[in-house]
Amino acid sequence: MFIVSGATGHVGSAVAEALLRDGHEVIAITRDAANAAALKEKGASIAVADLYDVDAMRDVFRKGKRLFLLNPPAKPDTDTDRAENETARLLLAAVEGSGLEKIVAESTYGAQPGEQLGDLNTLHTMEEGLRDQRVPTTILRAAYYFSNWDAMLETVREGTLPTMYPADLKLPMVAPADLGDAAADLLTAPVEETGIVHVEGPTRYSSRDVADAFAHTLGRKVEVAVTPRDHWEETYRSLGFSEEAAHSYARMTAITADGDYEMPNEPVRGSTTLQDYIDALVERD
């Protein structure tokens, strides 16, 4: 039995679906059973539990042997670093005494120690916590999700793609479905196979590549609109981010834009191209 936390999100649902396709039994954790109806139809068992309830989460963990662990992003109008560090602490507490034999945990490219660096430091803290506990763990460091561009669709339809990255800066990006396949492979691997695994798409892409992919699908010109660095925090705040979150996300964006993190030499590469993803996104809309 495989357990998937964050099972109704982009990545968690992809992990659950990959495992189900391979014939495995899956327990999908959600706070609202209605959100997991599609997974239930595909054969998953649904466990309703709130990650703030350590005992309830541990009880779910005890129902299986291998866990996909995802610390969900905090609401942007909160102090996201503080909130995500707290949920990571609670998830780690739930792992204690669970009897799990293996964990695959979602992290991110560029995870590193520090403060006010958004996901880069909160997920690094979770990585360190997992290394300190007894269950063998594989860390899946994911590239920038293609799905992060989903929210831009309406703006793109009007002819503009906003971005904080230099227009031609190539970044590792990946489709959630490819992360799901990679996580399923890691979950079914022998227990002793642990460590850090980086996963990205078949090639690296720039914001201009994203604009061009939308343009190709929509049949119209799409311009890249780069937000100046000194406007980043203001822009995040205008999107509903708290002061603390805007500051952390701006610092995280700067590290990514400046390349101040170690790139893997041999990442696992998914097969979904950016164009394939954008075509499917527009078709679904």
Side-chain angles (χ1 to χ4, degrees):
M1 181 70 75
F2 294 86
I3 302 165
V4 178
S5 66
T8 57
H10 286 294
V11 176
S13 62
V15 176
E17 289 171 7
L19 290 166
L20 289 167
R21 283 198 307 271
D22 290 342
H24 299 292
E25 293 184 76
V26 174
I27 296 176
I29 305 177
T30 179
R31 286 183 295 179
D32 185 346
N35 293 336
L39 285 175
K40 186 175 182 179
E41 289 181 3
K42 293 175 181 178
S45 299
I46 308 302
V48 178
D50 190 318
L51 64 83
Y52 288 94
D53 186 335
V54 172
D55 291 337
M57 292 294 288
R58 186 182 295 116
D59 286 345
V60 177
F61 292 171
R62 285 173 172 163
K63 294 178 180 179
K65 287 297 183 183
R66 300 193 178 195
L67 167 68
F68 176 74
L69 184 66
L70 186 150
N71 189 20
K75 293 180 179 179
D77 61 353
T78 66
D79 182 339
T80 51
D81 284 30
R82 182 186 296 274
E84 290 171 15
N85 281 329
E86 175 62 8
T87 52
R89 184 188 69 81
L90 295 171
L91 287 168
L92 290 168
V95 166
E96 287 294 323
S98 63
L100 289 164
E101 68 177 20
K102 186 171 186 177
I103 296 170
V104 173
E106 179 88 349
S107 186
T108 183
Y109 271 50
Q112 57 190 267
E115 295 182 357
Q116 297 181 314
L117 301 176
D119 290 345
L120 303 186
N121 67 262
T122 59
L123 290 175
H124 183 270
T125 298
M126 187 179 75
E127 289 184 11
E128 292 299 300
L130 287 165
R131 290 190 185 98
D132 290 340
Q133 52 80 50
R134 297 179 181 179
V135 183
T137 298
T138 299
I139 303 297
L140 189 165
R141 286 189 176 173
Y144 191 86
Y145 298 170
F146 285 161
S147 54
N148 289 337
W149 299 105
D150 290 10
M152 304 298 179
L153 182 54
E154 291 310 310
T155 304
V156 166
R157 288 188 188 278
E158 297 174 1
T160 303
L161 177 78
T163 182
M164 294 185 186
Y165 300 119
D168 294 310
L169 175 66
K170 299 282 188 180
L171 294 173
M173 299 186 194
V174 67
D178 288 341
L179 291 173
D181 290 342
D185 289 343
L186 295 170
L187 282 163
T188 55
V191 169
E192 61 272 13
E193 291 187 15
T194 59
I196 296 176
V197 177
H198 290 79
V199 182
E200 60 182 87
T203 189
R204 293 176 180 174
Y205 301 98
S206 67
S207 297
R208 195 178 306 280
D209 292 329
V210 176
D212 289 346
F214 274 117
H216 181 271
T217 305
L218 296 171
R220 63 155 305 157
K221 188 174 182 179
V222 178
E223 299 286 352
V224 179
V226 178
T227 304
R229 187 176 295 229
D230 58 357
H231 290 181
W232 286 355
E233 289 196 35
E234 175 188 344
T235 299
Y236 278 123
R237 289 194 299 270
S238 74
L239 295 171
F241 284 62
S242 68
E243 291 284 343
E244 298 88 351
H247 182 63
S248 288
Y249 272 68
R251 295 190 71 205
M252 175 171 62
T253 302
I255 287 172
T256 303
D258 295 339
D260 287 341
Y261 59 99
E262 186 176 352
M263 288 285 192
N265 292 322
E266 296 182 0
V268 172
R269 291 195 177 274
S271 60
T272 305
T273 67
L274 174 64
Q275 191 65 64
D276 289 340
Y277 182 85
I278 296 298
D279 287 347
L281 171 64
V282 173
E283 183 177 350
R284 291 194 307 269
D285 185 63

